[in-house]
Coordinates of all heavy atoms in Angstrom, one line a residue:
E1 N 109.3 123.6 99.7 CA 108.2 124.5 99.8 C 106.9 123.8 99.4 O 105.8 123.9 100.0 CB 108.4 125.8 99.1 CG 109.4 126.7 99.7 CD 109.7 127.9 98.8 OE1 109.0 128.1 97.7 OE2 110.5 128.7 99.2
N2 N 107.0 123.0 98.3 CA 105.9 122.3 97.9 C 105.4 121.2 98.9 O 104.2 121.0 99.1 CB 106.2 121.6 96.6 CG 106.2 122.6 95.4 OD1 105.7 123.7 95.5 ND2 106.9 122.3 94.3
A3 N 106.3 120.5 99.5 CA 106.0 119.6 100.6 C 105.3 120.3 101.7 O 104.3 119.8 102.3 CB 107.2 118.8 101.1
F4 N 105.8 121.5 102.1 CA 105.2 122.2 103.2 C 103.8 122.7 102.8 O 102.8 122.4 103.6 CB 106.0 123.5 103.5 CG 105.3 124.4 104.4 CD1 105.0 124.1 105.7 CD2 104.9 125.7 103.9 CE1 104.4 125.0 106.5 CE2 104.1 126.5 104.6 CZ 103.9 126.2 106.0
R5 N 103.6 123.1 101.6 CA 102.3 123.5 101.1 C 101.3 122.4 101.1 O 100.2 122.5 101.5 CB 102.3 124.2 99.8 CG 103.0 125.6 99.8 CD 102.9 126.2 98.4 NE 103.6 127.4 98.4 CZ 104.6 127.8 97.6 NH1 105.0 126.9 96.8 NH2 105.3 128.9 97.8
G6 N 101.8 121.2 100.6 CA 101.0 120.0 100.6 C 100.6 119.6 102.0 O 99.4 119.2 102.3
E7 N 101.5 119.6 103.0 CA 101.1 119.2 104.3 C 100.1 120.3 104.9 O 99.2 119.9 105.7 CB 102.4 119.2 105.2 CG 102.2 118.9 106.6 CD 101.6 117.4 106.9 OE1 101.7 116.6 106.0 OE2 101.3 117.2 108.0
L8 N 100.4 121.5 104.6 CA 99.4 122.5 105.1 C 98.1 122.3 104.6 O 97.0 122.4 105.3 CB 100.0 123.9 104.8 CG 99.3 125.1 105.4 CD1 99.2 125.1 106.9 CD2 100.0 126.4 104.9
Q9 N 97.9 122.0 103.3 CA 96.7 121.9 102.6 C 96.0 120.6 103.2 O 94.8 120.7 103.5 CB 96.9 121.7 101.1 CG 95.6 121.6 100.3 CD 94.7 122.9 100.5 OE1 95.2 123.9 100.5 NE2 93.4 122.7 100.5
R10 N 96.7 119.6 103.4 CA 96.2 118.4 104.0 C 95.6 118.6 105.3 O 94.4 118.3 105.7 CB 97.2 117.3 104.1 CG 96.7 115.9 104.7 CD 97.8 114.9 104.8 NE 98.7 115.3 105.9 CZ 98.4 115.2 107.2 NH1 97.2 114.6 107.6 NH2 99.3 115.4 108.1
R11 N 96.3 119.3 106.2 CA 95.8 119.7 107.6 C 94.6 120.6 107.5 O 93.8 120.4 108.4 CB 97.0 120.2 108.4 CG 98.0 119.2 108.7 CD 99.2 119.8 109.5 NE 100.2 118.9 109.8 CZ 100.7 118.6 111.0 NH1 100.2 119.3 112.0 NH2 101.6 117.8 111.2
I12 N 94.6 121.5 106.6 CA 93.5 122.4 106.5 C 92.2 121.7 106.1 O 91.1 121.8 106.8 CB 93.8 123.5 105.5 CG1 94.7 124.5 106.1 CG2 92.4 124.2 105.1 CD1 95.3 125.5 105.0
Q13 N 92.4 120.7 105.2 CA 91.2 119.9 104.8 C 90.8 119.0 105.9 O 89.6 118.8 106.1 CB 91.6 119.0 103.6 CG 91.8 119.8 102.3 CD 92.3 119.1 101.1 OE1 92.9 118.0 101.3 NE2 92.2 119.7 99.9
E14 N 91.7 118.4 106.6 CA 91.3 117.5 107.8 C 90.6 118.4 108.8 O 89.6 117.9 109.5 CB 92.6 116.9 108.4 CG 93.1 115.8 107.6 CD 94.4 115.2 108.3 OE1 94.8 115.6 109.4 OE2 94.9 114.2 107.7
S15 N 91.1 119.6 109.1 CA 90.5 120.5 110.1 C 89.1 120.9 109.6 O 88.2 120.9 110.4 CB 91.3 121.7 110.3 OG 90.7 122.6 111.2
D16 N 88.9 121.2 108.4 CA 87.6 121.6 107.9 C 86.6 120.4 108.0 O 85.4 120.6 108.2 CB 87.7 122.0 106.4 CG 88.4 123.4 106.2 OD1 88.6 124.1 107.3 OD2 88.7 123.8 105.1
A17 N 87.0 119.2 107.8 CA 86.3 118.0 107.9 C 85.9 117.6 109.3 O 85.0 116.8 109.5 CB 86.8 116.9 107.1
S18 N 86.6 118.1 110.2 CA 86.4 117.6 111.6 C 85.5 118.5 112.4 O 85.3 119.7 112.1 CB 87.9 117.7 112.3 OG 87.7 117.5 113.7
D19 N 84.8 118.0 113.4 CA 83.9 118.6 114.2 C 84.6 119.3 115.4 O 84.0 120.1 116.2 CB 82.8 117.7 114.7 CG 81.8 117.3 113.6 OD1 81.7 118.1 112.6 OD2 81.2 116.3 113.8
E20 N 85.9 118.9 115.6 CA 86.7 119.4 116.7 C 87.2 120.8 116.4 O 87.4 121.2 115.3 CB 87.8 118.4 117.0 CG 87.3 117.0 117.4 CD 88.6 116.2 117.7 OE1 89.7 116.8 118.0 OE2 88.5 114.9 117.6
P21 N 87.3 121.6 117.5 CA 87.9 122.9 117.3 C 89.2 122.8 116.7 O 90.1 122.0 117.0 CB 87.9 123.6 118.7 CG 87.8 122.4 119.7 CD 87.1 121.3 118.9
G22 N 89.6 123.7 115.8 CA 90.9 123.8 115.1 C 92.0 124.4 116.0 O 91.7 124.9 117.1
M23 N 93.2 124.5 115.5 CA 94.3 125.1 116.2 C 94.5 126.4 115.6 O 94.2 126.7 114.4 CB 95.5 124.2 116.2 CG 96.1 124.0 114.8 SD 97.7 123.0 114.8 CE 97.2 121.5 115.6
T24 N 95.2 127.3 116.3 CA 95.6 128.7 115.8 C 96.8 128.4 114.8 O 97.5 127.4 114.8 CB 96.0 129.6 116.9 OG1 97.2 129.0 117.5 CG2 94.9 129.7 118.0
L25 N 97.0 129.5 114.0 CA 98.2 129.4 113.1 C 99.5 129.2 113.9 O 100.4 128.5 113.5 CB 98.3 130.6 112.2 CG 97.2 130.6 111.0 CD1 97.3 132.0 110.4 CD2 97.4 129.5 110.2
E26 N 99.5 130.0 115.1 CA 100.8 129.8 115.9 C 101.0 128.4 116.4 O 102.1 127.9 116.4 CB 100.7 130.7 117.1 CG 100.8 132.2 116.8 CD 99.5 132.9 116.6 OE1 98.4 132.1 116.3 OE2 99.4 134.1 116.4
E27 N 99.9 127.7 116.8 CA 100.0 126.3 117.2 C 100.4 125.4 116.1 O 101.2 124.6 116.2 CB 98.7 125.9 117.8 CG 98.3 126.6 119.1 CD 96.9 126.3 119.6 OE1 96.0 126.0 118.7 OE2 96.6 126.3 120.7
L28 N 99.9 125.7 114.8 CA 100.3 124.9 113.8 C 101.7 125.1 113.4 O 102.4 124.2 113.1 CB 99.4 125.3 112.5 CG 99.8 124.6 111.2 CD1 99.5 123.1 111.3 CD2 99.0 125.1 110.0
G29 N 102.2 126.3 113.5 CA 103.6 126.6 113.2 C 104.5 125.9 114.2 O 105.5 125.3 113.8
D30 N 104.1 125.8 115.5 CA 104.8 125.2 116.5 C 104.9 123.7 116.3 O 105.9 123.0 116.5 CB 104.3 125.5 117.9 CG 104.5 126.9 118.4 OD1 105.4 127.6 117.8 OD2 103.8 127.4 119.3
E31 N 103.7 123.1 115.8 CA 103.7 121.7 115.5 C 104.5 121.3 114.3 O 105.2 120.3 114.4 CB 102.2 121.3 115.4 CG 102.0 119.7 115.2 CD 100.7 119.3 115.1 OE1 99.8 119.9 115.8 OE2 100.4 118.4 114.3
L32 N 104.5 122.1 113.3 CA 105.2 121.8 112.1 C 106.7 122.1 112.2 O 107.5 121.5 111.5 CB 104.7 122.5 110.9 CG 103.3 122.1 110.4 CD1 102.8 123.0 109.4 CD2 103.3 120.7 110.0
G33 N 107.1 123.0 113.1 CA 108.5 123.4 113.3 C 109.0 124.3 112.2 O 108.2 124.9 111.4
E34 N 110.3 124.5 112.1 CA 110.9 125.4 111.0 C 110.9 124.7 109.7 O 111.0 123.5 109.7 CB 112.3 125.8 111.5 CG 112.3 126.8 112.6 CD 111.6 128.1 112.4 OE1 111.5 128.5 111.3 OE2 111.1 128.6 113.4
P35 N 110.7 125.3 108.6 CA 110.6 126.8 108.4 C 109.2 127.2 108.5 O 108.8 128.4 108.3 CB 111.1 127.0 106.9 CG 110.7 125.7 106.3 CD 110.9 124.7 107.3
A36 N 108.2 126.4 108.7 CA 106.7 126.7 108.8 C 106.5 127.8 109.8 O 105.8 128.7 109.6 CB 105.9 125.5 109.1

């Protein structure tokens, strides 16, 4: 769970710093796979 939270936090920070449009939560879940 901590590894998942860390990965999620990293991706959120990268997305916030990027000028590109982000992905939906569903897309993020699909990319991360289970259990995300």
Side-chain angles (χ1 to χ4, degrees):
E1 287 177 3
N2 288 339
F4 167 71
R5 286 187 187 121
E7 178 66 13
L8 186 58
Q9 184 65 32
R10 183 186 69 74
R11 288 176 182 236
I12 289 170
Q13 289 171 347
E14 284 179 1
S15 177
D16 288 347
S18 171
D19 291 335
E20 296 181 24
M23 63 174 58
T24 67
L25 286 175
E26 290 90 350
E27 292 169 335
L28 177 62
D30 290 341
E31 185 175 323
L32 293 175
E34 290 301 331

